[in-house]
Amino acid sequence: MFPARYAREMPHRYRLEAHKCKQCGKVFVPRREICDKCGATEFEVIRLSDRVKLVTYTIIHTPASQFKDQSPYALGICEFPEGVRLTAQVVDIDFADLKTGMDLQVEFRRIQTDGHEGILSYGYKFVPVI
Amino acid sequence: MRDVAVIGVGMPKWGELWDKSLRDVFVEAALLALADTKVDKLDNMLIGCMSGGLFVGQEHIGAIMADYLGQRHLAAGRVESACASGGLAFRCAIAEVASGMSDVVLAGGVEKMTDVSGDGATYALAAAADQEYEVFNGATFPGLYALMARAHMEKYGTTRDQLAHVAVKNHHNGTKNPNAQYPFEVTLDQVKNSVMIADPLRILDCSPITDGAAAVIVCPMEMAKDLTEKPLVKVTGLGQATDAIALHSRQDITTIEATTVAAKEAFAMAGKGPKDIDFAEVHDCFTIAEIVVTESLGFFEPGKGGPAVEAGETARGGRIPINLSGGLKSKGHPVGATGIAQIYEIVKQLRGDAGERQIENAKVGLAQNMGGSGASTLVHILEVA
Ligand SMILES: [Zn+2]
């Protein structure tokens, strides 16, 4: 993973920054240049809530090589109260306890290691509500 | 715009072709297509190839293939729309001919996927998803379709057995296809007990890693009779659409909206509806994909795709046979070639030249080819001229 490519996404991944359309209020992650709902081009930066609902999930048994040390793992799509949906791992939970519609929270976690020499990558994962 | 005919088709045997290179695989298919016609010189060539770069380190596909086809200086290029690259090559070739820019155009597709390891193939294929917001967080292609599968099962009651029926049907169809990579039967129990890949999808719910190519030749309808002795096939409907690349950004993950939009366009152009289609080749990269796509195309109501395959409505002899070729599931899925191989099967059926696979009264066929988790779709309708 090249540092510039990684660094560009840090505001979204580290701080859950989102961009809210100043005209219609639609919220986006990642940022975009034009709103797909109203066509406006001005946005304000907001921070997403860290409480989400699980929309759907799977258990990945055959991951990409950089995730092999974590396999099997749960991967889910969650919806934020602001309307944004994101895909991430669901961790610290028994697979049998996963249920669509359940409440989860978002935590800052290590996502992957880019080989022995590469940088550690961080971002968000979904975990049970404490 | 000029009416366009398909006058030649070619497809060699697919599989793990370790003794053949990317260029060998493509040229073999292209020569078969040319031999199916009286054409010796092309005006243009468009090649669907998802990732020559990641699979074999080769880009610049148009030039290399024109050269090795013995047509140096031919106008040729590669087009890309992930797993729908072949469908896009066909559309671009039709546009060349319909517009009058070219008369005789070859539309091909190729992928050489077994020169890399399984991990290498997973990496290359994942480039068709949202790299930063899906793949970065651990998503894989089976994983994305598994997310759709669970949502579809919970919303409509689609069952594990119904998913397996897609694999059983397509493998059965594939036994009649001499070009298929895996032309053997599988049973419901084999599918349901095969290795888990991404719950609920197992290895026999997934299309394989394949080396292969296919090619077709198109020309203006008024020239077609002079360029082939085969029964004429006319392209009557075209549709293309995209959607959010990330599955989580779509309105509804239990349907493929890009397919619905592209199909509407193709049906309108052909003056036809879903009920007028005699048979279809659809993009069954995973078993759930065929169920969802048959709904998105309008062949079945939302949620009825699973019961339909279970009841045999999409089998040979059913109301609308789907994937008579064996589909991606049995025939194989060399991603860039798949969209062209679908056209190959439709043309063979419409000509009455599909051998053991031939169905009766094949007059109108539809091909649906999609990329990624459904963010690109090409739909084509072909008819006996
Ligand atoms: Zn807006």
Side-chain angles (χ1 to χ4, degrees):
Chain A
M1 179 99 33
F2 292 104
R5 178 178 146 194
Y6 179 69
R8 275 198 298 273
E9 309 302 330
M10 277 165 55
H12 299 307
R13 289 184 185 145
Y14 283 27
R15 300 190 291 277
L16 291 180
E17 275 186 13
H19 284 223
K20 184 176 181 180
C21 175
K22 281 188 175 172
Q23 185 166 291
C24 77
K26 188 167 176 183
V27 179
F28 299 96
V29 175
R31 65 183 301 279
R32 30 178 98 198
E33 299 289 334
I34 180 165
C35 175
D36 70 4
K37 188 175 172 193
C38 75
T41 53
E42 288 190 36
F43 299 85
E44 61 173 313
V45 176
I46 63 164
R47 191 187 184 289
L48 293 177
S49 320
D50 58 6
R51 287 295 183 93
V52 294
K53 272 198 192 313
L54 184 61
V55 175
T56 181
Y57 65 93
T58 178
I59 316 297
I60 306 254
H61 292 259
T62 311
S65 54
Q66 66 271 31
F67 288 98
K68 284 207 168 135
D69 57 336
Q70 302 175 50
S71 172
Y73 55 85
L75 185 85
I77 292 177
C78 283
E79 182 163 320
F80 290 74
E82 293 82 2
V84 171
R85 288 180 176 188
L86 289 174
T87 303
Q89 287 187 36
V90 190
V91 295
D92 300 348
I93 187 168
D94 286 341
F95 297 151
D97 294 333
L98 289 165
K99 209 171 170 350
T100 54
M102 76 190 299
D103 291 312
L104 294 169
Q105 65 186 45
V106 192
E107 278 195 1
F108 181 71
R109 293 288 180 103
R110 179 167 65 84
I111 304 296
Q112 52 173 279
T113 312
D114 188 13
H116 286 297
E117 308 290 326
I119 55 172
L120 296 173
S121 300
Y122 295 88
Y124 45 84
K125 290 186 181 180
F126 305 126
V127 299
V129 178
I130 303 158
Chain B
M1 289 207 300
R2 301 193 287 184
D3 283 342
V4 178
V6 183
I7 53 168
V9 297
M11 177 180 165
K13 168 92 175 165
W14 286 2
E16 296 183 0
L17 309 175
W18 291 327
D19 57 342
K20 286 181 184 158
S21 68
L22 179 74
R23 64 189 88 173
D24 295 338
V25 173
F26 177 79
V27 170
E28 191 181 356
L31 289 175
L32 285 172
L34 282 164
D36 200 32
T37 68
K38 295 194 244 173
V39 171
D40 50 14
K41 195 177 167 304
L42 298 168
D43 295 325
N44 199 309
M45 179 163 75
L46 291 149
I47 302 163
C49 181
M50 176 183 157
S51 196
L54 292 176
F55 284 116
V56 294
Q58 181 71 60
E59 310 285 14
H60 208 171
I61 303 296
I64 192 171
M65 297 313 179
D67 179 9
Y68 279 79
L69 187 59
Q71 307 228 3
R72 209 172 284 186
H73 306 314
L74 171 65
R78 168 249 197 123
V79 299
E80 187 274 321
S81 186
C83 318
S85 299
L88 182 59
F90 187 60
R91 180 184 173 94
C92 293
I94 293 163
E96 277 280 331
V97 173
S99 67
M101 289 271 288
S102 300
D103 285 333
V104 182
V105 180
L106 186 146
V110 64
E111 215 74 54
K112 182 89 182 80
M113 302 173 75
T114 68
D115 279 3
V116 292
S117 64
D119 283 350
T122 300
Y123 177 79
L125 292 169
D130 187 326
Q131 197 59 256
E132 303 294 358
Y133 287 88
E134 293 181 317
V135 182
F136 174 84
N137 286 329
T140 58
F141 263 99
L144 293 171
Y145 278 91
L147 293 170
M148 294 172 64
R150 182 175 306 278
H152 201 272
M153 291 163 99
E154 292 191 352
K155 182 171 179 183
Y156 294 116
T158 303
T159 65
R160 181 49 268 194
D161 270 24
Q162 289 165 355
L163 297 178
H165 275 286
V166 174
V168 170
K169 168 181 71 72
N170 290 352
H171 270 281
H172 177 69
N173 288 345
T175 61
K176 300 179 190 308
N177 188 343
N179 297 326
Q181 180 177 15
Y182 294 124
F184 51 70
E185 305 274 357
V186 298
T187 65
L188 270 192
D189 279 345
Q190 281 173 329
V191 179
K192 290 192 293 178
N193 294 314
S194 62
V195 174
M196 187 67 88
I197 300 293
D199 188 33
L201 301 180
R202 294 171 181 270
I203 188 95
L204 288 177
D205 288 295
C206 308
S207 55
I209 301 288
T210 311
D211 301 328
V216 303
I217 295 169
V218 295
C219 77
M221 184 53 82
E222 71 258 21
M223 291 173 62
K225 271 202 183 67
D226 297 331
L227 294 176
T228 185
E229 284 157 3
K230 301 282 168 64
L232 295 184
V233 171
K234 184 177 168 184
V235 183
T236 58
L238 296 89
Q240 181 185 8
T242 56
D243 201 343
I245 190 168
L247 180 64
H248 59 238
S249 296
R250 311 243 181 95
Q251 290 286 339
D252 179 356
I253 60 172
T254 61
T255 181
I256 308 275
E257 286 184 15
T259 291
T260 304
V261 173
K264 269 199 186 124
E265 201 176 288
F267 283 133
M269 189 185 289
K272 297 255 180 314
K275 288 193 167 53
D276 302 316
I277 303 299
D278 297 325
F279 65 103
E281 290 285 306
V282 310
H283 198 95
D284 60 323
C285 48
F286 299 91
T287 50
I288 183 64
E290 179 170 311
I291 289 174
V292 172
V293 163
T294 55
E295 296 170 3
S296 301
L297 286 168
F299 294 147
F300 305 104
E301 295 288 305
K304 303 293 188 213
V309 65
E310 189 167 23
E313 289 187 56
T314 56
R316 278 181 78 75
R319 182 159 74 77
I320 173 154
I322 302 282
N323 286 329
L324 289 161
S325 68
L328 287 54
K329 185 71 204 69
S330 162
K331 186 173 56 187
H333 183 27
V335 282
T338 283
I340 297 293
Q342 292 178 329
I343 303 299
Y344 173 92
E345 179 68 15
I346 304 267
V347 170
K348 284 286 199 182
Q349 291 282 349
L350 294 177
R351 285 176 174 178
D353 186 26
E356 272 195 84
R357 306 191 302 287
Q358 187 65 48
I359 56 164
E360 286 174 27
N361 295 318
K363 301 277 186 249
V364 186
L366 178 147
Q368 179 267 353
N369 182 206
M370 66 184 172
S373 56
S376 291
T377 296
L378 280 294
V379 172
H380 292 101
I381 297 171
L382 285 75
E383 300 182 45
V384 172

